[in-house]
Amino acid sequence: MADAAVARYGRVRLATEALAGGLSAEDAGAQAMPDASPVKWHLAHTTWFFETFVLVPRAPGYRPASPEFRFLFNSYYDTVGERPRRSERGLLTRPSLAEVWEYRRAVDTAMSALLEREGVRVERLVDLGLAHEEQHQELIVTDALALFARHPLEPAWHETASAPSLPGAGWLDREGGRVAIGHDGVGFAFDNELPRHAVLLRRHRIARRPVTGGEYLAFMADGGYRQPLLWQDDGWECVRRYGWNAPEYWSYRDGAWTAMTVAGRRPVNPEAPVCHVSWWEAEAYARWAGKRLPTEEEWEDAADSFDSGMVWEWTASPHRPYPGWRAPTGAFGEYNGKFMAGRFVLRGGSLATPAGHCRKTYRNFFPPSARWQFSGMRLAEDV
Amino acid sequence: MADAAVARYGRVRLATEALAGGLSAEDAGAQAMPDASPVKWHLAHTTWFFETFVLVPRAPGYRPASPEFRFLFNSYYDTVGERPRRSERGLLTRPSLAEVWEYRRAVDTAMSALLEREGVRVERLVDLGLAHEEQHQELIVTDALALFARHPLEPAWHETASAPSLPGAGWLDREGGRVAIGHDGVGFAFDNELPRHAVLLRRHRIARRPVTGGEYLAFMADGGYRQPLLWQDDGWECVRRYGWNAPEYWSYRDGAWTAMTVAGRRPVNPEAPVCHVSWWEAEAYARWAGKRLPTEEEWEDAADSFDSGMVWEWTASPHRPYPGWRAPTGAFGEYNGKFMAGRFVLRGGSLATPAGHCRKTYRNFFPPSARWQFSGMRLAEDV
Amino acid sequence: MADAAVARYGRVRLATEALAGGLSAEDAGAQAMPDASPVKWHLAHTTWFFETFVLVPRAPGYRPASPEFRFLFNSYYDTVGERPRRSERGLLTRPSLAEVWEYRRAVDTAMSALLEREGVRVERLVDLGLAHEEQHQELIVTDALALFARHPLEPAWHETASAPSLPGAGWLDREGGRVAIGHDGVGFAFDNELPRHAVLLRRHRIARRPVTGGEYLAFMADGGYRQPLLWQDDGWECVRRYGWNAPEYWSYRDGAWTAMTVAGRRPVNPEAPVCHVSWWEAEAYARWAGKRLPTEEEWEDAADSFDSGMVWEWTASPHRPYPGWRAPTGAFGEYNGKFMAGRFVLRGGSLATPAGHCRKTYRNFFPPSARWQFSGMRLAEDV
Amino acid sequence: MADAAVARYGRVRLATEALAGGLSAEDAGAQAMPDASPVKWHLAHTTWFFETFVLVPRAPGYRPASPEFRFLFNSYYDTVGERPRRSERGLLTRPSLAEVWEYRRAVDTAMSALLEREGVRVERLVDLGLAHEEQHQELIVTDALALFARHPLEPAWHETASAPSLPGAGWLDREGGRVAIGHDGVGFAFDNELPRHAVLLRRHRIARRPVTGGEYLAFMADGGYRQPLLWQDDGWECVRRYGWNAPEYWSYRDGAWTAMTVAGRRPVNPEAPVCHVSWWEAEAYARWAGKRLPTEEEWEDAADSFDSGMVWEWTASPHRPYPGWRAPTGAFGEYNGKFMAGRFVLRGGSLATPAGHCRKTYRNFFPPSARWQFSGMRLAEDV
C-alpha cells in the first residue's frame, strides 16, 4: 500500500521532469506573459505545494532547507501569506534551475519517507498534490509554447504526436430530463466538482466530435472575424483591440494557414480539432454555425457517448459553485473558490493533459479571452 | 384603445422630461465617465429608438428631419450601422439640448398619429420602446448622479424621497424542488426573461430584506476591505487597484459616513438598504456574513414573499440565456443578447426605477465591477 | 491715463467674448481631450486670474462673490492651492455659462474701478493679466477646433480668413557672430524672454517663409511617414502608436487632402503654411528636405527680415531658462518656470494670435507631440 | 601596431566577460524592465556590432555562422533592418548563454585576424566598436542591478569598491566669457561631441564635488518630495504617479536609509555622492538648495578643476546637436542622432564606467525620468 503510494508519487513527479527535461536554464526561466509562468517556477511551485501542505504540517521534524521558498513559490494562497507578483515570476533568477532540481530531490526524499510511514493517513492530501502537479504539467506545455511562439525563430521543442484527424461528424440526440451532475465522491475529485446534484435538461442534440480546423477555416473565410453581429459585445471589443483574425498562434504563410505548436510551426490540419480559440471565438463560431455551445451539464451527461480529450472544450457555462458547494477549509478553499466569477468552464482535457488526470465531471476554467490553453469547442443545439 | 395607447405613450415620455427638466444645457451635455451617458444623449437616444424601429418602418411617409441622428444616437446596434464612440458622447455638443427637445416633439407628434391610426398593430413595438425609455429614465438618474458626484461642489439635484428604513430582518424558509422560472408570456417582457422553464432548487433560506447600511458598516469595521480571503480573486484586484474601502459615493466626513445622493451629500442611513456596491463587494459581504447571494431563480421563486424595489439586488447568477432562448430577429437580437457574458443578474428594481416598470421575472444585468447603479444585495443560505 | 488703461482692459476682454460669442452652452462646456479645456473654462479662468492676482490683493474691500471659484478655476498654480483635475474640466457643469458671463461682468466692474483709482500702480499686473487673456484667446480657438474636429458632423464655427498663400520661397544669408537675444525690458514681456544676453551664432541661412502645405504633401508622397530614418526615435514611436500619416485634422476625401478648420472642412491650400504638425513631424520634414530647424536664437536674430505670424514655428530649441533667468517670486514663478523641460520653443505667432500680442522675442512652447496648436515650421541650413 | 590593436581589442572584450562571468544563465537571460536589457543580450549585441559593422563589410570571406543573429541582436538600427521588440529581449532564450559565449569567440577570432591584416585601416571602426562595448559594460552593471533590485531576496553580485566619501565642499569661481566646447578631434570621440565650437558663458560658480547622500537626506527631511513648488510640472507628475519619496533603490529599514547596490543592500553613506536620482529630482534638489544645475558647457569648461567620475552628473542641458553637427552617414547616424530630443546630458562618468572610457567632452544622455543609471548631480549658481 505504502509502496504503491510511493511509486505513484514518483511516477507523477518524474513525468513533470521528463516534460521539462529538454529545456535550458534560459528556456525554463523566462516568462512569456503575465498569464503564463516560467517552467522553473512550475517545477518549484509544485514542490512547494507538497512542502507547504504535506511536509510542514504532517512530517514532524521536517525543516525546509530554504525557508524563503515559502514566499517565493506561493502562487496565490493568501492563507499562506505574501508572494512575488505574478507578472514578475520571470525575474526570479535565483534559485537557479539546478537548485530547483535539488529542491525537488530533497522534497521527494522527505515525501517518500512520509508516505512509507504514514500511508493512507496522508492519502487525500497527496492525491490533491499529485492532481495539482498534473495540472501544472499541462501548464508547462502551454506556457513553454507561449514562450516559443514569441521567439522570432519559433523553435520546436517536443516531437509530439499532433492532433489526430477526427472521426466523422454527427449528432447525439439527448432526451434531457432530470440528470445527476457532479462527482459521486468515490476517488479523487476537486472541490468544484461537488456536490453531486440533480438538474433538469431540455431535449437537445450534441455533436459527436469537436469543431475541426477545416470548419473553423470556413468561418474565417465567411468573414467571421468581421461580423459584429456574431459576437458578444465584449468579444467584439477583443477582436478589434487585439486585431484577432484567426486562432492564437495561427499565421498565414506562403498560401496556407499554419499554427505554432510544440513541434514548431506546422500546417493547420483541417481534420483535427481547432485549438487555441477563446470563449468569445467559440461562441461566435457557434452562432455563425446556427448552433450553440453545450452547457457543462449537457456535456457531462453525454460524455460517455462521445470521444473527448483532444482539446479542452469551452462550454456555455460560467464557472460558478454547484448548489450546496462549500469552500474547503483553510488554504484549499482558495484552490478553486476564488475563481468563481469571470471564467467559463472547459471540459474534456487535451492531448497535453496527463493520462488519467481528467474525468467527465472535471471542471477546468479560464477567462473568456484566454487563448494560450489547448482550447476548442463542441456544438449543441435545441431540438 | 388608441386613446389609451396615446395616453400611455405620452405619460412615459413626459416622465422622462420631468426627470431631465431641472438640468441646464451643460448638466445635460456632460458625460461623467465612459460607462455613463449625458442626459441629453438619453433624451435623444430614446427618441431615436421610436424613430428608427417604429416610425421609419411603420409610418409611411415619415421622413426623419435630421437623417444624421440615425448615426449620432445609435447606442450599440450593429444592425443599424456605425455610431459615435461611447466614450465620446459628451463631445456631441450639436445638436443642442433645445434641438433635442424639438426632436422629441416631432417624433411624439408622429408617434401619436401612428398610434391613433395603427393602434394594436404596433402595440408590441411601442411596448418595447416604452420599456426601453423607462430603463433610460433610471439611467438618467444614475448618470446624472455620477456626474454630480464628480463635481467638486457636489450639487443637489432632486429633493428625492430617500431610501426608507427597512422592516425587521429575518429569513424565509424555502422548500425548493421543481419550480417554474421566467415570464409566462402574458403582457410585456424582455426577451431574456423567456422562455419559462423548470429548474430544481435545493432547500434554502432567503432574507426578508436587503442588507442595510448599518450591517455593511459592520463589515467595513471588521476589516472587510482588508481581508483578501473574503474576496474573489478579481474582486480583490479591484479593491487594490481602485483603493475601494467603502461603497461608491461614500465618504467619511466629520466623524460619520456620508453618501452622495441626488439630493446632495447625506449621512448614511444605517436602517436603509446599502447601495452602490459592486458584485464583488456584495459577494465578499455575503462570505463575511457566513451566507451567500441567492441565485436568480431562488430570488424569483420567493419574490412574492418579501418586499423589494428599494435597490437592485445582485444575485449569484451570471447573465446567461435561459434554456431554449432564441435571440429575437434583427436589431432586437442585440438588445440583451450580446451582453450574455461577464455580467451578473440583478433583481427587484430600485427607488429610481419607474413605477410599474419592473416585475419579478425581470433580469437586469451589469458587470461585477459596476457601482454607479443603485445596487445592493439580499442574502441566502443553504440549510 | 487711467482712461486708456480702462479702455485697453475693456478691448481685450471684449475680444475674448466676441470669440466665444457664437458658442452654445454645450459647445462651451465640453472638453475635447485632456490637453484642451472647455471654452467656458477659459472664460472663467482668465477672469479668475484678475480676481486672484489683482483684485484680492490690491482692491481693498473686494469680496469674491463665489469663493469656490478660487478653487474651481485655478489652472496650475500650486501657490494658490488645490484645483480640479485638468482632465475633468468638462465635468464642471456648474457654474453655468450664464453664471460665468456674470462673473466676468462683476470682475470687470471691479477692475474698472480699480484701474481708475490705481492707474499705473497696477499697470504691470494688469499687463500680465491681459497678455494671459490673449494667450487664452488663442487657446479658445485651438480647443474649440479640437472639439469640433471630434464631432462626427465637423461643424463650422467662424467664417475666418483662411491662411494666405505665401510669397516666393528663398533664403536669407545670415552672418552669425555675437548677437543679443531676449527682451530689452522696455514694455511688457514674459519672464522667460529675459534676461537679454549675448550668444554666438554660426553663419547659416534661414528660409524667407514657412514650409507650405504643398511642400509637406511632397514629403508625404515621398513616404515621409514610412521612413524611420527620418525620425527621432521617440517621434517614430508616435508615428507608429498613433498611426500618423498626415498633419492633425487632415483627411483624404474624394481624391484630395482636406483639413478641418474653424470654418469646417476645407481643401488643403498648397500655397499656405502647413499647420497642425508636431515637432517630430517638423524635424522629420527638415531632415527629409536636407535642412534643419532654426534655433530660436537664429529665428529671433533674423525675424526683422522675414514675414511671420501665420503659423507658430517650431524651432530646434528646447524651452529652457535663459542664462541668468530668475523665477518671478510667488505664483508668477509658476507661469512659465515649471514648464522648462520636455517642451520645444515656437516662435512667431499664428493667424489666431491676437494682433499685437506677439513680438520677436516671444517664446511659446509645447511638448514635441502636440499637434492641436497652429504649429508649422521654417527651415534653416548651415553654410 | 597591429599587435597593440589586437591586444587592446582583447582587453576590452575580456573586461566585458569578467563583468558577466559570475552570472548564471538565468541571471544573464532575464530582463528587469523594458528600459534594461538582459546581460546575455549585451554580450551578444556588442559582438553583433563588430560582426555587422566591421567583419561583414571589411573582412572578405567572413560568413556569419548564425545569420539570424543579424536580426536578433540589432538594438535600434533601422539602417540594418527589423529587430525584436526591445521589451521582449528577455524572451530570447535561444541562443543560450553558452552559444553566445561561442559567438563571442568566433567573432573575436575573426576580428583578431582582421586587425592583424588590416591594422590602422579599420582603426576608427574598431575604436567605435570598443567604445560601444565599454558603454555596454556599464549597462551590464546597471541592468543587472535593476534585476537584482527587483528580486525579493536582493542578491549581492560583486564585492565592489563602494563610493568613496568625498573631499570637502566648496565652490569654484568661473569667469565665463568665450570658451571652446566639444572635442578637438584628436583621438576617439562620439559624433555628438563634435564639432568643437565657441560659446559665451556668464560668470558663475560651480561646486567642487557632487551632492552627497547626506545633503540629499536633508532635502528629503525638509519635505522635498511633498512640495510641488520645487518641481517641474512633469517631474511632480512622476512623484505622484510613481510615489517617489527617495532615490531609486533606497528603502528605509530599521531606522535608517539603505540602498540596493551590486554588493547587496547597504546603508546609505552620507559622505558619498547621491546616486540613482532622476533629472527631475536633481533639478528639484537644486531649486530647494537655492542653486541650479550647471549647463553642460559650464561643466566642461570647469572639468579640469574638480574631481569627477564617481557618478554621472545631470546637467541643465537637453541633449541637442552642437552647432554645425552633421549626422555620420549610414547606420552610425543613428548611434546618437535619433536621441536628440527628450533627454538631458550627463557628464563625468561613474564608478561603473570603464577606466579610460570617459573624457571631459563626453555627452551621456538619458530621459529625465531615468533612475536606474548611476546618476547624481553637481550644483552651480549665478553670481
Side-chain angles (χ1 to χ4, degrees):
Chain A
M1 189 70 179
D3 282 0
V6 171
R8 179 159 164 266
Y9 175 87
R11 270 197 309 276
V12 173
R13 296 282 286 174
L14 270 176
T16 306
E17 298 172 10
L19 266 178
L23 298 175
S24 69
E26 287 105 325
D27 289 339
Q31 179 171 27
M33 56 173 185
D35 280 340
S37 296
V39 169
K40 184 177 83 178
W41 185 90
H42 288 297
L43 293 173
H45 166 69
T46 48
T47 305
W48 169 95
F49 195 95
F50 284 110
E51 180 175 72
T52 304
F53 296 129
V54 185
L55 292 175
V56 167
R58 306 294 285 269
Y62 177 83
R63 276 258 154 61
S66 302
E68 68 274 21
F69 289 4
R70 179 179 176 90
F71 163 78
L72 285 182
F73 298 118
N74 181 3
S75 53
Y76 56 67
Y77 294 92
D78 289 304
T79 310
V80 176
E82 293 295 311
R83 56 195 174 271
R85 272 203 254 177
R86 182 186 179 99
S87 60
E88 300 195 353
R89 289 177 183 167
L91 304 186
L92 300 173
T93 60
R94 317 285 180 95
S96 68
L97 180 58
E99 289 166 322
V100 168
W101 287 126
E102 242 176 82
Y103 177 40
R104 290 186 69 92
R105 287 294 80 75
V107 164
D108 286 352
T109 302
M111 280 296 299
S112 295
L114 179 74
L115 286 167
E116 284 182 5
R117 206 167 57 241
E118 295 286 328
V120 295
R121 281 189 296 276
V122 292
E123 193 183 10
R124 285 198 64 82
L125 263 181
V126 174
D127 279 352
L128 179 60
L130 293 174
H132 172 259
E133 178 120 5
E134 287 174 338
Q135 290 184 316
H136 281 275
Q137 286 169 10
E138 180 153 0
L139 292 174
I140 284 173
V141 182
T142 58
D143 294 0
L145 177 56
L147 176 65
F148 291 145
R150 273 161 188 75
H151 195 291
L153 305 182
E154 299 189 326
W157 167 36
H158 271 191
E159 258 325 307
T160 186
S162 55
S165 296
L166 289 168
W171 297 91
L172 291 168
D173 286 304
R174 307 294 301 171
E175 279 306 308
R178 181 182 181 116
V179 303
I181 293 296
H183 197 263
D184 60 11
V186 179
F188 177 80
F190 284 110
D191 63 274
N192 65 344
E193 302 171 51
L194 300 166
R196 193 162 170 86
H197 61 285
V199 300
L200 296 178
L201 299 185
R202 290 165 56 97
R203 230 184 121 175
H204 64 280
R205 303 201 301 163
I206 191 165
R208 289 182 185 278
R209 59 156 177 72
V211 171
T212 64
E215 289 166 339
Y216 199 82
L217 283 164
F219 163 74
M220 288 163 56
D222 195 38
Y225 283 98
R226 297 190 303 273
Q227 297 291 341
L229 291 168
L230 295 174
W231 297 78
Q232 286 288 306
D233 199 55
D234 294 345
W236 182 243
E237 174 66 19
C238 279
V239 169
R240 288 191 301 179
R241 182 183 309 164
Y242 304 119
W244 287 353
N245 66 348
E248 180 82 335
Y249 303 145
W250 285 32
S251 177
Y252 194 76
R253 301 195 182 167
D254 302 325
W257 283 98
T258 62
M260 177 67 185
T261 73
V262 295
R265 186 159 290 281
R266 295 291 173 85
V268 167
N269 175 1
E271 308 293 330
V274 66
C275 192
H276 297 303
V277 293
S278 64
W279 188 87
W280 303 121
E281 290 161 297
E283 217 262 350
Y285 175 86
R287 192 171 305 186
W288 171 81
K291 315 294 182 195
R292 60 172 175 81
L293 299 179
T295 64
E296 62 171 325
E297 293 87 359
E298 289 168 344
W299 193 99
E300 182 173 326
D301 180 52
D304 292 335
S305 310
F306 54 64
D307 290 342
S308 63
M310 282 162 293
V311 286
W312 286 101
E313 302 174 19
W314 286 111
T315 70
S317 303
H319 184 235
R320 291 289 300 148
Y322 280 163
W325 176 79
R326 284 178 178 283
T329 52
F332 298 138
E334 299 184 64
Y335 197 102
N336 295 304
K338 69 183 181 189
F339 305 106
M340 288 183 164
R343 281 133 179 105
F344 279 88
V345 172
L346 303 102
R347 294 293 190 115
S350 82
L351 293 171
T353 311
H357 175 72
C358 212
R359 59 202 151 263
K360 73 172 182 177
T361 60
Y362 195 103
R363 307 175 79 200
N364 196 356
F365 51 84
F366 278 96
S369 306
R371 313 210 302 171
W372 93 108
Q373 294 297 306
F374 297 100
S375 49
M377 73 283 202
R378 180 186 303 270
L379 299 181
E381 65 177 331
D382 295 317
V383 287
Chain B
M1 187 73 177
D3 282 1
V6 171
R8 180 159 164 265
Y9 175 87
R11 269 198 308 277
V12 173
R13 296 282 286 174
L14 270 177
T16 307
E17 298 171 10
L19 265 178
L23 298 174
S24 68
E26 287 106 323
D27 288 340
Q31 180 171 26
M33 56 174 184
D35 280 340
S37 296
V39 169
K40 184 177 81 177
W41 185 90
H42 287 297
L43 294 172
H45 166 69
T46 49
T47 306
W48 169 95
F49 196 95
F50 285 109
E51 180 175 74
T52 304
F53 296 128
V54 185
L55 291 176
V56 168
R58 306 295 286 270
Y62 177 83
R63 278 257 153 60
S66 302
E68 69 273 20
F69 288 4
R70 179 179 176 88
F71 164 79
L72 286 182
F73 298 118
N74 181 2
S75 54
Y76 56 66
Y77 294 91
D78 289 304
T79 310
V80 176
E82 294 294 312
R83 56 196 173 272
R85 272 204 250 176
R86 183 186 177 99
S87 60
E88 300 193 353
R89 288 176 183 165
L91 304 186
L92 299 174
T93 61
R94 317 282 179 97
S96 68
L97 180 57
E99 289 166 322
V100 167
W101 286 126
E102 244 178 81
Y103 177 41
R104 290 186 69 93
R105 289 290 81 75
V107 164
D108 285 351
T109 302
M111 281 296 300
S112 295
L114 179 76
L115 285 167
E116 284 182 4
R117 203 166 60 241
E118 296 286 326
V120 295
R121 281 188 296 278
V122 294
E123 193 183 11
R124 286 196 64 80
L125 264 180
V126 173
D127 278 353
L128 180 60
L130 293 175
H132 172 258
E133 178 120 5
E134 287 174 338
Q135 290 184 315
H136 281 274
Q137 287 169 7
E138 180 154 359
L139 292 175
I140 284 173
V141 181
T142 58
D143 294 0
L145 177 57
L147 176 65
F148 291 145
R150 272 162 188 74
H151 195 291
L153 305 182
E154 300 190 324
W157 167 35
H158 272 190
E159 258 325 307
T160 187
S162 56
S165 296
L166 289 167
W171 298 90
L172 292 167
D173 286 303
R174 306 294 301 172
E175 279 306 308
R178 181 182 181 117
V179 304
I181 293 297
H183 197 262
D184 61 11
V186 179
F188 177 80
F190 284 110
D191 64 273
N192 65 344
E193 302 172 52
L194 301 166
R196 192 162 171 84
H197 62 285
V199 301
L200 297 177
L201 299 184
R202 291 163 56 96
R203 223 181 128 178
H204 65 279
R205 303 201 301 165
I206 191 165
R208 289 183 185 277
R209 60 155 176 74
V211 171
T212 64
E215 289 165 339
Y216 200 82
L217 283 164
F219 164 74
M220 289 163 58
D222 195 37
Y225 284 97
R226 295 190 304 272
Q227 297 290 343
L229 290 168
L230 295 173
W231 297 79
Q232 287 288 307
D233 199 55
D234 294 346
W236 182 242
E237 174 65 20
C238 279
V239 169
R240 287 191 303 179
R241 182 183 308 164
Y242 304 119
W244 287 352
N245 67 348
E248 182 81 336
Y249 303 144
W250 284 32
S251 178
Y252 193 77
R253 301 194 182 168
D254 301 326
W257 282 99
T258 62
M260 176 67 186
T261 72
V262 294
R265 185 160 290 282
R266 295 291 173 87
V268 167
N269 176 0
E271 308 295 328
V274 67
C275 191
H276 296 301
V277 293
S278 64
W279 187 87
W280 304 120
E281 288 160 299
E283 217 262 351
Y285 175 85
R287 192 171 305 185
W288 171 82
K291 314 293 181 195
R292 61 171 175 82
L293 300 179
T295 65
E296 63 172 322
E297 293 88 358
E298 289 168 345
W299 193 99
E300 181 173 326
D301 180 52
D304 292 335
S305 310
F306 53 65
D307 288 344
S308 64
M310 281 160 294
V311 286
W312 287 101
E313 302 174 20
W314 286 111
T315 69
S317 302
H319 183 234
R320 293 289 299 149
Y322 280 163
W325 176 79
R326 285 178 178 284
T329 52
F332 297 139
E334 299 184 64
Y335 197 103
N336 294 305
K338 66 184 183 189
F339 305 106
M340 289 184 165
R343 280 132 180 105
F344 279 88
V345 173
L346 303 101
R347 295 292 193 113
S350 82
L351 292 172
T353 310
H357 175 73
C358 212
R359 59 204 149 262
K360 73 174 182 177
T361 61
Y362 195 102
R363 305 174 80 200
N364 196 357
F365 51 86
F366 277 95
S369 306
R371 312 210 302 170
W372 93 108
Q373 295 296 308
F374 296 101
S375 48
M377 73 284 201
R378 181 185 302 270
L379 298 182
E381 65 178 330
D382 296 315
V383 288
Chain C
M1 189 74 178
D3 282 1
V6 171
R8 178 156 166 266
Y9 175 87
R11 271 198 307 278
V12 173
R13 297 281 287 173
L14 271 176
T16 307
E17 296 172 12
L19 265 178
L23 299 175
S24 68
E26 286 106 324
D27 289 340
Q31 179 172 27
M33 56 174 184
D35 279 339
S37 296
V39 170
K40 185 177 79 177
W41 184 90
H42 288 297
L43 294 172
H45 166 69
T46 48
T47 305
W48 169 95
F49 195 95
F50 285 109
E51 179 174 73
T52 303
F53 296 128
V54 185
L55 292 175
V56 167
R58 306 294 286 268
Y62 177 81
R63 275 260 154 58
S66 301
E68 69 273 19
F69 289 3
R70 180 178 176 87
F71 163 79
L72 285 182
F73 297 119
N74 181 0
S75 54
Y76 56 66
Y77 295 91
D78 289 304
T79 310
V80 176
E82 294 294 311
R83 54 196 174 269
R85 272 203 253 177
R86 181 184 178 100
S87 60
E88 299 196 354
R89 289 177 182 166
L91 304 186
L92 299 174
T93 61
R94 316 285 180 95
S96 68
L97 180 57
E99 290 165 322
V100 167
W101 288 125
E102 240 176 86
Y103 177 41
R104 290 184 70 91
R105 289 291 80 78
V107 164
D108 286 351
T109 302
M111 280 296 299
S112 295
L114 179 74
L115 285 167
E116 286 182 5
R117 205 167 57 241
E118 296 285 327
V120 295
R121 281 187 296 277
V122 295
E123 193 183 10
R124 284 197 65 82
L125 263 181
V126 173
D127 279 352
L128 179 61
L130 293 176
H132 173 258
E133 178 119 6
E134 287 175 337
Q135 291 184 314
H136 281 275
Q137 286 168 10
E138 179 153 1
L139 293 173
I140 284 174
V141 182
T142 58
D143 294 0
L145 177 56
L147 176 65
F148 290 146
R150 273 161 187 75
H151 194 291
L153 305 182
E154 300 188 326
W157 167 37
H158 272 190
E159 258 325 307
T160 185
S162 55
S165 295
L166 288 170
W171 297 90
L172 292 168
D173 285 305
R174 306 295 299 171
E175 279 305 307
R178 182 181 180 118
V179 303
I181 293 295
H183 197 262
D184 61 11
V186 178
F188 178 79
F190 284 111
D191 64 274
N192 65 345
E193 302 171 53
L194 299 167
R196 191 160 171 87
H197 62 285
V199 300
L200 297 176
L201 298 186
R202 290 165 56 97
R203 230 183 120 176
H204 65 280
R205 302 201 302 164
I206 192 165
R208 288 183 185 277
R209 61 156 175 72
V211 172
T212 63
E215 289 165 339
Y216 200 83
L217 283 164
F219 163 75
M220 289 163 56
D222 194 39
Y225 284 97
R226 295 190 303 274
Q227 297 291 342
L229 290 169
L230 296 174
W231 298 78
Q232 286 289 306
D233 199 56
D234 294 345
W236 182 243
E237 175 65 22
C238 280
V239 170
R240 288 191 301 179
R241 183 183 307 162
Y242 304 119
W244 287 352
N245 66 349
E248 182 81 336
Y249 303 145
W250 284 32
S251 178
Y252 194 76
R253 301 196 183 166
D254 302 325
W257 282 99
T258 63
M260 177 67 184
T261 73
V262 295
R265 186 160 289 282
R266 294 294 171 86
V268 167
N269 176 1
E271 309 294 330
V274 66
C275 193
H276 296 302
V277 295
S278 63
W279 187 88
W280 304 119
E281 288 160 300
E283 215 264 350
Y285 174 85
R287 191 171 306 186
W288 171 81
K291 314 294 182 196
R292 59 172 176 79
L293 299 178
T295 65
E296 62 171 324
E297 292 88 359
E298 290 167 345
W299 193 99
E300 182 174 325
D301 180 51
D304 292 335
S305 309
F306 53 64
D307 289 342
S308 64
M310 282 162 293
V311 286
W312 287 101
E313 303 175 21
W314 287 111
T315 70
S317 302
H319 184 235
R320 292 290 298 149
Y322 280 163
W325 176 80
R326 284 179 178 285
T329 51
F332 298 138
E334 300 184 63
Y335 197 103
N336 294 305
K338 67 186 184 187
F339 305 107
M340 289 185 165
R343 281 133 179 105
F344 279 89
V345 172
L346 303 102
R347 294 292 191 116
S350 82
L351 293 172
T353 310
H357 175 72
C358 212
R359 60 202 149 262
K360 73 172 181 177
T361 61
Y362 195 104
R363 306 175 79 200
N364 196 357
F365 51 85
F366 278 96
S369 306
R371 311 210 305 169
W372 93 110
Q373 295 297 307
F374 296 102
S375 48
M377 72 284 202
R378 180 186 305 269
L379 298 181
E381 66 178 330
D382 295 317
V383 286
Chain D
M1 187 74 178
D3 282 2
V6 171
R8 182 160 162 262
Y9 176 87
R11 270 196 308 276
V12 173
R13 298 281 287 173
L14 271 175
T16 307
E17 298 172 11
L19 266 178
L23 299 175
S24 68
E26 286 104 324
D27 289 339
Q31 180 172 26
M33 56 174 183
D35 279 339
S37 296
V39 170
K40 184 177 82 178
W41 184 91
H42 288 297
L43 294 172
H45 166 69
T46 48
T47 305
W48 170 95
F49 195 94
F50 285 110
E51 179 174 73
T52 303
F53 296 129
V54 185
L55 293 175
V56 167
R58 304 296 284 270
Y62 177 81
R63 276 257 153 59
S66 302
E68 68 274 20
F69 288 4
R70 180 178 175 89
F71 164 78
L72 285 182
F73 297 118
N74 181 2
S75 53
Y76 56 66
Y77 295 91
D78 289 303
T79 310
V80 175
E82 293 295 310
R83 55 196 174 272
R85 272 204 251 177
R86 183 185 177 98
S87 60
E88 299 195 353
R89 289 178 182 164
L91 304 186
L92 299 174
T93 61
R94 316 283 178 98
S96 67
L97 179 57
E99 289 166 323
V100 167
W101 287 125
E102 245 177 81
Y103 177 42
R104 289 184 71 91
R105 289 292 79 77
V107 164
D108 285 351
T109 302
M111 280 297 297
S112 294
L114 179 76
L115 286 166
E116 286 182 4
R117 204 168 57 241
E118 296 286 327
V120 294
R121 282 189 294 277
V122 294
E123 193 183 9
R124 285 196 66 82
L125 262 180
V126 173
D127 278 353
L128 180 60
L130 293 175
H132 173 259
E133 178 119 7
E134 287 174 338
Q135 290 184 316
H136 281 275
Q137 286 169 10
E138 180 154 359
L139 293 174
I140 284 174
V141 182
T142 59
D143 295 0
L145 176 57
L147 176 66
F148 291 145
R150 272 161 188 75
H151 195 293
L153 304 182
E154 300 190 326
W157 168 36
H158 272 189
E159 257 327 307
T160 186
S162 55
S165 295
L166 288 168
W171 298 90
L172 291 168
D173 285 304
R174 305 295 301 171
E175 280 306 308
R178 182 182 180 118
V179 303
I181 292 296
H183 197 262
D184 61 11
V186 179
F188 177 80
F190 284 110
D191 63 275
N192 65 344
E193 300 172 53
L194 299 167
R196 191 160 171 86
H197 62 286
V199 301
L200 297 176
L201 298 186
R202 291 164 57 96
R203 227 182 125 176
H204 65 280
R205 301 200 303 163
I206 191 165
R208 290 182 185 277
R209 60 156 175 71
V211 172
T212 63
E215 289 165 339
Y216 200 83
L217 283 164
F219 164 75
M220 289 164 56
D222 194 38
Y225 284 97
R226 296 191 303 273
Q227 297 292 340
L229 291 168
L230 295 174
W231 297 78
Q232 287 287 307
D233 199 55
D234 295 346
W236 182 243
E237 174 66 21
C238 280
V239 169
R240 287 192 302 181
R241 183 183 308 163
Y242 304 119
W244 288 352
N245 67 348
E248 182 83 335
Y249 303 146
W250 284 31
S251 176
Y252 194 76
R253 301 197 184 166
D254 301 327
W257 283 99
T258 63
M260 177 67 184
T261 73
V262 295
R265 186 160 289 283
R266 293 293 173 86
V268 167
N269 176 1
E271 307 295 329
V274 66
C275 191
H276 297 302
V277 295
S278 63
W279 187 87
W280 304 120
E281 289 161 299
E283 216 262 350
Y285 175 85
R287 191 172 305 187
W288 171 81
K291 314 295 182 193
R292 60 172 176 80
L293 299 179
T295 65
E296 61 172 324
E297 292 88 359
E298 290 168 343
W299 194 99
E300 182 173 326
D301 180 52
D304 291 336
S305 310
F306 53 63
D307 289 341
S308 64
M310 282 162 293
V311 286
W312 286 101
E313 300 174 21
W314 287 111
T315 71
S317 303
H319 184 235
R320 292 289 299 148
Y322 280 164
W325 177 80
R326 285 178 178 284
T329 52
F332 297 138
E334 300 183 64
Y335 198 102
N336 294 305
K338 68 185 184 187
F339 304 107
M340 288 182 165
R343 281 134 180 104
F344 280 88
V345 172
L346 303 103
R347 294 291 191 116
S350 81
L351 293 172
T353 310
H357 175 72
C358 212
R359 61 203 148 262
K360 73 172 180 177
T361 61
Y362 195 103
R363 306 175 78 199
N364 196 357
F365 51 85
F366 279 94
S369 306
R371 313 210 302 170
W372 93 109
Q373 294 297 308
F374 296 101
S375 49
M377 72 286 202
R378 181 186 302 270
L379 298 181
E381 66 177 329
D382 295 317
V383 286

